[in-house]
Amino acid sequence: VDDRELLTIVREVAGDAQTFDDCAVIQLGSCCAVITTDMLHASTDFPRGITCRQAGWMAVAVTLSDIAAMGAAPRYILLAVGLDQPRHLKKILEGAVSCAERFGASVVGGDLDAHTELTLVSTGIGLVDPRSIVRRSGANPGDVIAITGTPGRAQAALVGYTQFACALYEPIPAVMEGIALGKAGASAMMDVSDGLALSLYDLLDANDCGFSIYTAMVPLPPEVPLDEAREFALYGGGDFGLLFSIPPGLLVDIGISYTVIGTVISDRAVLLDGDPMPKRGYVHQWNG
Amino acid sequence: VDDRELLTIVREVAGDAQTFDDCAVIQLGSCCAVITTDMLHASTDFPRGITCRQAGWMAVAVTLSDIAAMGAAPRYILLAVGLDQPRHLKKILEGAVSCAERFGASVVGGDLDAHTELTLVSTGIGLVDPRSIVRRSGANPGDVIAITGTPGRAQAALVGYTQFACALYEPIPAVMEGIALGKAGASAMMDVSDGLALSLYDLLDANDCGFSIYTAMVPLPPEVPLDEAREFALYGGGDFGLLFSIPPGLLVDIGISYTVIGTVISDRAVLLDGDPMPKRGYVHQWNG
């Protein structure tokens, strides 16, 4: 059983309207908001050696990344802390608050519970003009497909390339990029935290078209042997960049850095250099 | 170390504007919303013998109760599931969805993670007219203090009075009562899940006045020996009633059931039958 199989149960019980996107879109009076929640815990989500402050930062960063992937501006964060050691609380909160504030959000509430292993659940609310919401669906053949940042850095750090430690321990959510891409007219978007390959397959699930990318166009973590760098960039998880499609005519003066890595095609496939891309990356495995 | 000591750390790092209430109050465009998150997990929060469906129900119910305690109408729920056994997921979600729908809310999103013990974190958003928000602060000497429902039933079930099992396993959040009390002009309100005594002390912390209640006025779980019933009702945790203060002149035609148990006084104390009330009830204890 893996995450993606369990998701079919979620869709069966809770409906599938919201499960294809990084956030749920909710209407509050005249206001359009996006909302998302993320659970991280010590044994499966936090990299070995992470500090309490970094764990707090990361918990908020994953949520901000989901909000950014919808084209929304993060505003409010709630943090539920399943605390293994009371003395860890202060640093965790300091990390969470500093990440939220760095990206224009506030930690407005939360909960505390005793837990055998550190478990952090952050929930975020962002605001967005309904015309600027970007969902996973919406890609059209002829759009280009592009990413922000350099994928593979977190995976490189995980296997020992310490020069990328910040990407792993103190990830930077692409908040400004997401807002800019929403305004620019990106047609589909998501974050790439499960890896580029699996994210492309998620886009495939949410759209009626396909995606064709080229290895040579993907930016790679520098100072890493080429074969390894490509493996990390295409299949490694833990990065916080955004993957998006956009009509090429709209890629003018959008004010952010990005790299075009391929095009949206009418075929229902994910292609790497013209061949079906292996569907592998970061997936939770479940016993039983 | 207990919950209340850790709360001082939270207030130091995150500010104390929001930590005195059951929910944070947020402004989204022209709309006033309340938001709250609650973490429950198997070893400390779920009573022994609870089913997966009941655990899902309870996770949503605690959040709806917090929203009700602000006088707001619940609208959206997110559920993060730290799942011990994949086969438990469906029943958990069914319980969560049925509780949300019963009280006018929808489960719009969530997250899934593998966990050594079942951990459910529900986040809820409610809507409220700003004039109807009820906080923990706001009580005034001369107000009466009252509760909805019968406290002590969950505690009675916990020690073996099985006729109250539903109060423990399938708690009913006082959603309609909270909305009605907000409209009626309740001056202060909170839910009593930590027990009546500790909740009165929480109100004491949030107000500049005090609270004087009388044992004989507190409704008791029926068919339980009087001494035990009083212990459960005054100090037992796990109930989902609302504790509120209100000017007595406003207690007209509010359309809900409640019981007046005392009055708000100018002395800074919690009194039971005229003497200081013992400050005890349900508090997490932390090692280290």
Side-chain angles (χ1 to χ4, degrees), chain B residues 182-214:
Chain B
K183 288 185 179 155
S187 51
M189 185 153 63
M190 66 180 296
D191 78 2
V192 295
S193 51
D194 291 345
L196 190 52
L198 288 185
S199 299
L200 287 163
Y201 277 98
D202 282 334
L203 288 185
L204 185 70
D205 279 347
N207 286 281
D208 297 323
C209 47
F211 303 90
S212 172
I213 71 161
Y214 292 88

Short mmCIF file of all heavy atoms in Angstrom, two decimals, chain B residues 182-214:
data_model
loop_
_atom_site.label_atom_id
_atom_site.label_comp_id
_atom_site.label_asym_id
_atom_site.label_seq_id
_atom_site.Cartn_x
_atom_site.Cartn_y
_atom_site.Cartn_z
N GLY B 182 -24.00 33.28 20.91
CA GLY B 182 -23.33 34.43 20.29
C GLY B 182 -24.34 35.49 19.90
O GLY B 182 -24.15 36.69 20.17
N LYS B 183 -25.41 35.07 19.28
CA LYS B 183 -26.45 36.01 18.86
C LYS B 183 -27.16 36.64 20.06
O LYS B 183 -27.56 37.80 20.04
CB LYS B 183 -27.48 35.31 17.98
CG LYS B 183 -26.94 34.99 16.59
CD LYS B 183 -28.01 34.39 15.70
CE LYS B 183 -27.43 34.10 14.31
NZ LYS B 183 -28.17 33.04 13.62
N ALA B 184 -27.32 35.83 21.15
CA ALA B 184 -28.04 36.32 22.32
C ALA B 184 -27.24 37.34 23.12
O ALA B 184 -27.81 38.10 23.90
CB ALA B 184 -28.40 35.13 23.22
N GLY B 185 -25.92 37.35 22.94
CA GLY B 185 -25.11 38.33 23.66
C GLY B 185 -24.35 37.77 24.85
O GLY B 185 -24.03 38.51 25.79
N ALA B 186 -24.00 36.47 24.81
CA ALA B 186 -23.13 35.93 25.86
C ALA B 186 -21.88 36.79 25.95
O ALA B 186 -21.34 37.23 24.93
CB ALA B 186 -22.77 34.48 25.56
N SER B 187 -21.41 37.06 27.17
CA SER B 187 -20.27 37.98 27.34
C SER B 187 -18.92 37.26 27.30
O SER B 187 -17.91 37.86 26.92
CB SER B 187 -20.43 38.76 28.64
OG SER B 187 -20.66 37.87 29.74
N ALA B 188 -18.88 36.00 27.68
CA ALA B 188 -17.66 35.20 27.63
C ALA B 188 -18.08 33.75 27.46
O ALA B 188 -19.16 33.36 27.90
CB ALA B 188 -16.84 35.36 28.91
N MET B 189 -17.23 32.95 26.81
CA MET B 189 -17.61 31.55 26.57
C MET B 189 -16.37 30.71 26.28
O MET B 189 -15.40 31.19 25.72
CB MET B 189 -18.61 31.48 25.41
CG MET B 189 -19.18 30.09 25.15
SD MET B 189 -20.83 30.11 24.37
CE MET B 189 -20.49 30.90 22.79
N MET B 190 -16.45 29.45 26.63
CA MET B 190 -15.44 28.45 26.25
C MET B 190 -16.07 27.07 26.39
O MET B 190 -17.14 26.92 26.97
CB MET B 190 -14.20 28.55 27.13
CG MET B 190 -14.41 28.20 28.58
SD MET B 190 -12.88 28.37 29.54
CE MET B 190 -11.84 27.12 28.78
N ASP B 191 -15.40 26.06 25.82
CA ASP B 191 -15.94 24.73 26.07
C ASP B 191 -15.29 24.15 27.33
O ASP B 191 -14.31 24.68 27.84
CB ASP B 191 -15.88 23.82 24.84
CG ASP B 191 -14.52 23.21 24.55
OD1 ASP B 191 -13.57 23.45 25.31
OD2 ASP B 191 -14.42 22.49 23.56
N VAL B 192 -15.89 23.10 27.88
CA VAL B 192 -15.46 22.61 29.19
C VAL B 192 -14.70 21.30 29.09
O VAL B 192 -14.71 20.49 30.02
CB VAL B 192 -16.67 22.42 30.14
CG1 VAL B 192 -17.32 23.74 30.44
CG2 VAL B 192 -17.68 21.42 29.56
N SER B 193 -13.99 21.08 27.98
CA SER B 193 -13.40 19.75 27.77
C SER B 193 -12.32 19.40 28.80
O SER B 193 -12.05 18.23 29.01
CB SER B 193 -12.87 19.61 26.34
OG SER B 193 -12.04 20.69 26.02
N ASP B 194 -11.70 20.37 29.43
CA ASP B 194 -10.74 20.05 30.50
C ASP B 194 -11.41 19.91 31.86
O ASP B 194 -10.72 19.71 32.87
CB ASP B 194 -9.66 21.13 30.59
CG ASP B 194 -8.73 21.14 29.40
OD1 ASP B 194 -8.72 20.15 28.63
OD2 ASP B 194 -8.00 22.13 29.22
N GLY B 195 -12.72 20.03 31.91
CA GLY B 195 -13.45 19.96 33.18
C GLY B 195 -13.92 21.34 33.60
O GLY B 195 -13.36 22.36 33.22
N LEU B 196 -14.96 21.35 34.41
CA LEU B 196 -15.59 22.61 34.81
C LEU B 196 -14.65 23.48 35.64
O LEU B 196 -14.52 24.69 35.42
CB LEU B 196 -16.87 22.29 35.58
CG LEU B 196 -17.82 23.43 35.92
CD1 LEU B 196 -18.19 24.24 34.68
CD2 LEU B 196 -19.09 22.86 36.57
N ALA B 197 -13.94 22.87 36.58
CA ALA B 197 -13.07 23.66 37.47
C ALA B 197 -11.95 24.34 36.67
O ALA B 197 -11.75 25.55 36.78
CB ALA B 197 -12.47 22.76 38.55
N LEU B 198 -11.22 23.56 35.87
CA LEU B 198 -10.12 24.17 35.11
C LEU B 198 -10.64 25.20 34.11
O LEU B 198 -9.98 26.20 33.85
CB LEU B 198 -9.31 23.10 34.38
CG LEU B 198 -8.42 22.22 35.26
CD1 LEU B 198 -7.58 21.29 34.39
CD2 LEU B 198 -7.52 23.07 36.16
N SER B 199 -11.82 24.96 33.56
CA SER B 199 -12.38 25.93 32.62
C SER B 199 -12.70 27.24 33.32
O SER B 199 -12.47 28.33 32.77
CB SER B 199 -13.62 25.35 31.94
OG SER B 199 -13.27 24.17 31.22
N LEU B 200 -13.23 27.16 34.53
CA LEU B 200 -13.47 28.38 35.31
C LEU B 200 -12.16 29.12 35.58
O LEU B 200 -12.10 30.35 35.51
CB LEU B 200 -14.20 28.05 36.60
CG LEU B 200 -15.68 27.67 36.43
CD1 LEU B 200 -16.21 26.97 37.68
CD2 LEU B 200 -16.53 28.92 36.12
N TYR B 201 -11.10 28.37 35.87
CA TYR B 201 -9.80 29.02 36.08
C TYR B 201 -9.25 29.62 34.77
O TYR B 201 -8.56 30.64 34.79
CB TYR B 201 -8.81 28.06 36.74
CG TYR B 201 -9.00 28.02 38.24
CD1 TYR B 201 -9.74 27.02 38.85
CD2 TYR B 201 -8.46 29.03 39.05
CE1 TYR B 201 -9.94 27.01 40.22
CE2 TYR B 201 -8.65 29.03 40.43
CZ TYR B 201 -9.40 28.01 41.01
OH TYR B 201 -9.60 28.03 42.37
N ASP B 202 -9.56 28.98 33.64
CA ASP B 202 -9.18 29.59 32.36
C ASP B 202 -9.92 30.91 32.16
O ASP B 202 -9.34 31.89 31.67
CB ASP B 202 -9.49 28.64 31.19
CG ASP B 202 -8.46 27.53 31.04
OD1 ASP B 202 -7.30 27.74 31.46
OD2 ASP B 202 -8.81 26.47 30.51
N LEU B 203 -11.19 30.94 32.50
CA LEU B 203 -11.95 32.19 32.39
C LEU B 203 -11.37 33.25 33.34
O LEU B 203 -11.29 34.43 33.01
CB LEU B 203 -13.43 31.97 32.70
CG LEU B 203 -14.26 31.22 31.66
CD1 LEU B 203 -15.74 31.19 32.09
CD2 LEU B 203 -14.15 31.85 30.27
N LEU B 204 -10.95 32.78 34.53
CA LEU B 204 -10.33 33.72 35.49
C LEU B 204 -9.09 34.37 34.87
O LEU B 204 -8.89 35.59 34.98
CB LEU B 204 -9.96 32.96 36.77
CG LEU B 204 -9.40 33.81 37.92
CD1 LEU B 204 -10.52 34.68 38.53
CD2 LEU B 204 -8.79 32.92 39.00
N ASP B 205 -8.26 33.55 34.20
CA ASP B 205 -7.05 34.08 33.54
C ASP B 205 -7.38 35.13 32.49
O ASP B 205 -6.61 36.06 32.27
CB ASP B 205 -6.29 32.94 32.82
CG ASP B 205 -5.44 32.13 33.77
OD1 ASP B 205 -5.24 32.57 34.92
OD2 ASP B 205 -4.98 31.05 33.35
N ALA B 206 -8.50 34.95 31.82
CA ALA B 206 -8.81 35.80 30.66
C ALA B 206 -9.63 37.03 31.04
O ALA B 206 -9.87 37.89 30.19
CB ALA B 206 -9.56 34.98 29.61
N ASN B 207 -10.06 37.12 32.30
CA ASN B 207 -10.94 38.22 32.71
C ASN B 207 -10.38 38.95 33.93
O ASN B 207 -9.46 38.46 34.59
CB ASN B 207 -12.34 37.66 33.06
CG ASN B 207 -13.12 37.27 31.82
OD1 ASN B 207 -13.68 38.11 31.14
ND2 ASN B 207 -13.12 35.97 31.50
N ASP B 208 -10.95 40.09 34.22
CA ASP B 208 -10.52 40.86 35.40
C ASP B 208 -11.47 40.66 36.58
O ASP B 208 -11.38 41.38 37.57
CB ASP B 208 -10.49 42.35 35.06
CG ASP B 208 -9.46 42.65 33.99
OD1 ASP B 208 -8.39 42.01 34.01
OD2 ASP B 208 -9.74 43.50 33.13
N CYS B 209 -12.38 39.71 36.45
CA CYS B 209 -13.34 39.46 37.53
C CYS B 209 -13.21 38.01 37.99
O CYS B 209 -12.22 37.35 37.68
CB CYS B 209 -14.76 39.77 37.03
SG CYS B 209 -15.09 39.04 35.42
N GLY B 210 -14.16 37.51 38.73
CA GLY B 210 -14.10 36.14 39.21
C GLY B 210 -15.43 35.43 39.02
O GLY B 210 -16.37 35.98 38.44
N PHE B 211 -15.49 34.20 39.51
CA PHE B 211 -16.65 33.35 39.23
C PHE B 211 -17.03 32.59 40.49
O PHE B 211 -16.18 31.97 41.12
CB PHE B 211 -16.32 32.39 38.08
CG PHE B 211 -15.89 33.14 36.84
CD1 PHE B 211 -14.55 33.45 36.63
CD2 PHE B 211 -16.83 33.59 35.94
CE1 PHE B 211 -14.15 34.18 35.52
CE2 PHE B 211 -16.45 34.33 34.82
CZ PHE B 211 -15.10 34.63 34.62
N SER B 212 -18.30 32.64 40.82
CA SER B 212 -18.79 31.96 42.01
C SER B 212 -19.90 31.00 41.63
O SER B 212 -20.96 31.43 41.12
CB SER B 212 -19.33 33.02 43.00
OG SER B 212 -19.97 32.39 44.09
N ILE B 213 -19.65 29.71 41.79
CA ILE B 213 -20.68 28.72 41.42
C ILE B 213 -21.09 27.92 42.65
O ILE B 213 -20.40 27.92 43.68
CB ILE B 213 -20.22 27.79 40.27
CG1 ILE B 213 -19.14 26.81 40.76
CG2 ILE B 213 -19.75 28.58 39.06
CD1 ILE B 213 -18.99 25.59 39.86
N TYR B 214 -22.21 27.21 42.51
CA TYR B 214 -22.75 26.43 43.62
C TYR B 214 -22.99 25.00 43.18
O TYR B 214 -23.62 24.75 42.15
CB TYR B 214 -24.05 27.08 44.13
CG TYR B 214 -23.74 28.41 44.79
CD1 TYR B 214 -23.70 29.58 44.03
CD2 TYR B 214 -23.42 28.46 46.14
CE1 TYR B 214 -23.36 30.79 44.63
CE2 TYR B 214 -23.09 29.66 46.75
CZ TYR B 214 -23.05 30.82 45.98
OH TYR B 214 -22.69 32.00 46.58
#
